[in-house]
Amino acid sequence: RGFLETNKPAFQDVWVNQHILDNKGRKMSKSLGNIIDPQKIIKEDGAEALRLWSAIEGDLSKQDLSCSQERIKAERKTLNKILNVSKFIMQFEKPKKAELTKTDQLFVDYIEELTNFVDEKYNSYDFHHPALKLRNFLWEIFASHYLEIIKARAYNQEKKFSKEESESAHYTIHYLLERFLALIHPIIPQITSLIAQDKKIDLINSNFPKANKTKVDICLVDKIMKFNSEVWKTKKEKGISLRDSISGIKIPNSLKDFETDLKACHGLG
C-alpha cells in the first residue's frame, strides 16, 4: 500500500523472523490458545528484559525460539548488573585525557575489537551473537576481572599508585562503560539511554562507534582471566578470603606487563 500511494518502497530491507514456540515446542497461535501476552511480560519483567532475552535466546533469523518466562526474568539480572557497574564507575570522575597503563590499554583494545565484531554483525541484522558477546563482556571480562584488577588503583587509598596511574584507571572504566552502552544500545535502548543521560551522552542522536586501531595482543585478556581464576581457586582451596594476601604464586612471564595490578588485586607476596 505504501508503494502504491507514494511510488516508493516502504523499507529498504525486511527482516522476517522465525516462530516463537510455547513450552511444549508448539507454534504460538490464537487457535491453540497458547499465546503468552507480551503486555503481561512487560508489566512483570519490563520491555528491556524481553528485548535482551529475545536477542540472547537464539538467532531468530535461523531458528524458532521457545518462550520461557523464567529465562526472561533471568535477564533482569543482567540489567541490574549494568546498573550496578555504572553506579560503581560513576563515583569516579572521568579525566579529560590520560596516559594509559598497559593493563588499561589492553582492555581498551579488547573493546575496540569487540566494536568491530558488533558493527559487522548488526549490519547483517545479526543481533544474537553481539548480545552474547556483550553480555559475556559485561559479566566475565569487565565486572569479574577488569574492575577487580584495577579496583585498588582506582581507589588508591594507600597511595601505592601515582596520580597518573590512578587517573588512567578512572579514564578507562568510563571509556569501557560508554562504549559498552553504545554497542548494546540497539538491543536495550531504555536502560542505556538512562545511564547515558547521567553521563550527559546522547546515544540516540550519535553515530554508531567506529573502532580505533588496536596496539596490544588481546589474547592476553584470556591469559589474565585464567591466572585470576587460578589464584582465586587456590585461595578457596586454602580457605583464604579472596581479599587476603597469599604467597608462593608466581606471575607468568607473559603477564609481567600487568604485574603491579595483579599483585595489588590478589595480595601476592
Side-chain angles (χ1 to χ4, degrees):
R1 177 178 175 178
F3 178 79
L4 291 174
E5 291 188 356
T6 65
N7 203 32
K8 295 179 181 179
F11 306 100
Q12 182 177 348
D13 300 305
V14 177
W15 185 60
V16 181
N17 61 271
Q18 303 296 317
H19 295 299
I20 305 295
L21 311 177
D22 65 13
N23 56 8
K24 295 180 180 179
R26 300 175 303 173
K27 181 185 74 171
M28 288 189 183
S29 66
K30 289 182 179 180
S31 60
L32 290 175
N34 60 345
I35 292 175
I36 297 176
D37 186 356
Q39 292 300 323
K40 180 181 178 182
I41 294 176
I42 291 171
K43 184 177 180 180
E44 292 181 0
D45 303 307
E48 294 285 80
L50 180 59
R51 290 188 188 103
L52 187 56
W53 165 82
S54 66
I56 285 173
E57 188 68 22
D59 188 348
L60 262 175
S61 67
K62 297 179 181 178
Q63 66 190 71
D64 297 335
L65 295 187
S66 295
C67 185
S68 166
Q69 289 182 276
E70 289 304 313
R71 292 176 72 87
I72 294 171
K73 288 182 185 296
E75 291 311 324
R76 288 165 56 180
K77 295 180 180 179
T78 300
L79 301 177
N80 286 331
K81 191 68 172 179
I82 296 172
L83 289 172
N84 291 335
V85 166
S86 300
K87 288 177 183 177
F88 170 78
I89 291 171
M90 293 292 279
Q91 68 182 303
F92 302 102
E93 185 177 350
K94 181 184 178 183
K96 291 183 179 179
K97 60 180 181 178
E99 185 68 30
L100 300 188
T101 67
K102 291 184 177 180
T103 301
D104 297 333
Q105 186 64 60
L106 172 62
F107 284 86
V108 165
D109 281 358
Y110 187 94
I111 206 165
E112 299 295 355
E113 290 289 336
L114 183 55
T115 300
N116 274 328
F117 174 85
V118 172
D119 191 22
E120 178 184 346
K121 294 300 181 181
Y122 280 167
N123 282 329
S124 60
Y125 300 106
D126 179 352
F127 307 101
H128 173 58
H129 293 96
L132 290 177
K133 285 262 192 180
L134 289 166
R135 186 176 66 168
N136 180 72
F137 173 79
L138 171 71
W139 282 97
E140 302 301 330
I141 298 172
F142 196 13
S144 296
H145 288 273
Y146 176 72
L147 291 182
E148 291 301 320
I149 292 170
I150 59 86
K151 195 172 286 184
R153 180 155 52 89
Y155 283 118
N156 202 19
Q157 292 174 329
E158 299 176 6
K159 304 301 179 184
K160 292 183 178 180
F161 298 92
S162 68
K163 179 183 177 182
E164 290 74 20
E165 289 173 324
S166 188
E167 286 184 345
S168 174
H170 298 164
Y171 179 88
T172 304
I173 56 178
H174 280 278
Y175 186 91
L176 295 177
L177 174 61
E178 290 168 11
R179 180 61 63 85
F180 172 80
L181 293 175
L183 294 179
I184 204 168
H185 177 69
I187 296 174
I188 45 174
Q190 291 177 316
I191 191 171
T192 49
S193 294
L194 180 66
I195 299 169
Q197 186 177 2
D198 288 340
K199 293 181 69 45
K200 295 179 172 57
I201 299 171
D202 184 359
L203 291 177
I204 296 175
N205 296 306
S206 299
N207 292 327
F208 194 79
K210 295 297 181 183
N212 297 309
K213 290 185 178 180
T214 57
K215 304 175 183 178
V216 188
D217 180 7
I218 63 170
C219 291
L220 289 168
V221 169
D222 291 328
K223 293 183 179 180
I224 288 176
M225 292 170 62
K226 182 180 179 182
F227 176 77
N228 287 342
S229 298
E230 289 173 351
V231 174
W232 290 327
K233 180 182 178 182
T234 300
K235 284 186 174 183
K236 185 177 181 180
E237 290 173 346
K238 292 186 176 183
I240 301 174
S241 169
L242 297 183
R243 297 182 179 181
D244 290 342
S245 300
I246 189 172
S247 59
I249 294 180
K250 184 179 179 181
I251 295 175
N253 289 331
S254 61
L255 301 181
K256 286 295 182 181
D257 284 342
F258 321 108
E259 184 173 17
T260 303
D261 283 321
L262 293 174
K263 282 185 175 181
C265 173
H266 299 295
L268 301 182

